[in-house]
Amino acid sequence: MQNFFFDFDGTLADTRAVAVTATQKAFAAKGLTEPSDDVVAGYMGIPIEVSFDKMADRPLTAAEHEPLYQEFRRQYGLADSQIKIFDGMADTLAELKHRGARLFVVSSKHSTPLQRNLNQIGLGATFEALCGSDTVAHYKPAPDGILNLLDRYDLQPEQSVMIGDAIYDIQMGQNAHVNTAAAMYGAADPAAVRAQQPTFFLEHPTDLLTI
């Protein structure tokens, strides 16, 4: 593989605890029933603009959406110093770059907090480009983010791989007709990810060096 597209949450960094806490506090602050830890983790990988409606215990009105998103982002920002890069990831990315690989991030986060989080874990200057949820017309598992980068940087799909910990990442890669690699070390639902039949399985970040 020559071109590597990375998800952020659960792939580059362990963000589960922060995301769960921020979601639950945001829901409670807006008078909604707090979703369980497992429910929140199960929806990590798709934007909150999609997942929050699915987790809410009642239909949300149009006027309720933005305040809920803002409260989530506020809560996330209060705790995002707890985000930790996965062991071995920094050295793996450095080695891939040394080999001439091209590295990108395709995330369900908005671009600004995505860049802030990358800076926090020491990867701020690692990637050639980022594609956040605010830059695409259709969210994961739609292939928009990958297709945009393939086009912008004249990349060959057969030399490209989407790396992610959730079924939405694998589905996005498959919809874009690129190879896929399951980050099993960060997967909240390993069985579901395996059932998606990705091209490669990664038990540790260093496994990226063998694909």
Side-chain angles (χ1 to χ4, degrees):
M1 296 295 104
Q2 294 296 316
N3 314 308
F4 294 76
F5 303 106
F6 290 86
D7 173 49
F8 182 83
D9 298 287
T11 300
L12 290 171
D14 184 355
T15 62
R16 175 172 173 159
V18 176
V20 167
T21 299
T23 300
Q24 291 172 339
K25 287 186 175 181
F27 272 56
K30 299 305 177 183
L32 298 165
T33 301
E34 295 181 24
S36 70
D37 293 14
D38 288 342
V39 167
V40 177
Y43 281 113
M44 288 179 66
I46 56 175
I48 59 175
E49 290 85 354
V50 175
S51 65
F52 278 14
D53 277 317
K54 296 179 181 295
M55 287 188 280
D57 60 352
R58 59 173 174 78
L60 300 176
T61 67
E64 289 179 303
H65 283 133
E66 193 56 36
L68 181 59
Y69 303 154
Q70 290 178 358
E71 181 62 20
F72 168 79
R73 292 180 180 123
R74 187 182 77 84
Q75 294 290 346
Y76 198 105
L78 292 173
D80 65 5
S81 61
Q82 300 174 34
I83 293 172
K84 303 297 182 185
I85 187 172
F86 283 111
D87 289 343
M89 181 58 73
D91 289 343
T92 296
L93 295 173
E95 176 60 22
L96 287 173
K97 290 191 75 171
H98 177 72
R99 295 179 181 183
R102 304 182 73 174
L103 309 181
F104 305 88
V105 179
V106 182
S107 173
S108 291
K109 290 179 178 289
H110 274 214
S111 301
T112 298
L114 173 60
Q115 184 63 63
R116 183 181 71 243
N117 291 159
L118 287 168
N119 293 342
Q120 287 174 321
I121 62 173
L123 299 181
T126 299
F127 299 94
E128 193 167 342
L130 313 179
C131 188
S133 62
D134 53 315
T135 67
V136 297
H138 304 97
Y139 302 133
K140 297 179 184 179
D144 295 33
I146 295 174
L147 295 179
N148 175 276
L149 292 169
L150 290 173
D151 182 61
R152 283 169 57 195
Y153 293 91
D154 194 25
L155 307 174
Q156 299 304 310
E158 63 273 14
Q159 297 176 340
S160 304
V161 58
M162 176 65 206
I163 304 110
D165 64 296
I167 61 171
Y168 315 106
D169 303 309
I170 305 305
Q171 290 168 347
M172 177 175 61
Q174 292 168 340
N175 289 335
H177 303 293
V178 300
N179 297 283
T180 54
M184 303 305 292
Y185 54 85
D189 189 345
V193 174
R194 288 186 181 278
Q196 200 59 45
Q197 298 184 315
T199 316
F200 307 105
F201 290 96
L202 310 173
E203 299 300 334
H204 188 272
T206 54
D207 292 341
L208 284 163
L209 301 176
T210 66
I211 66 175

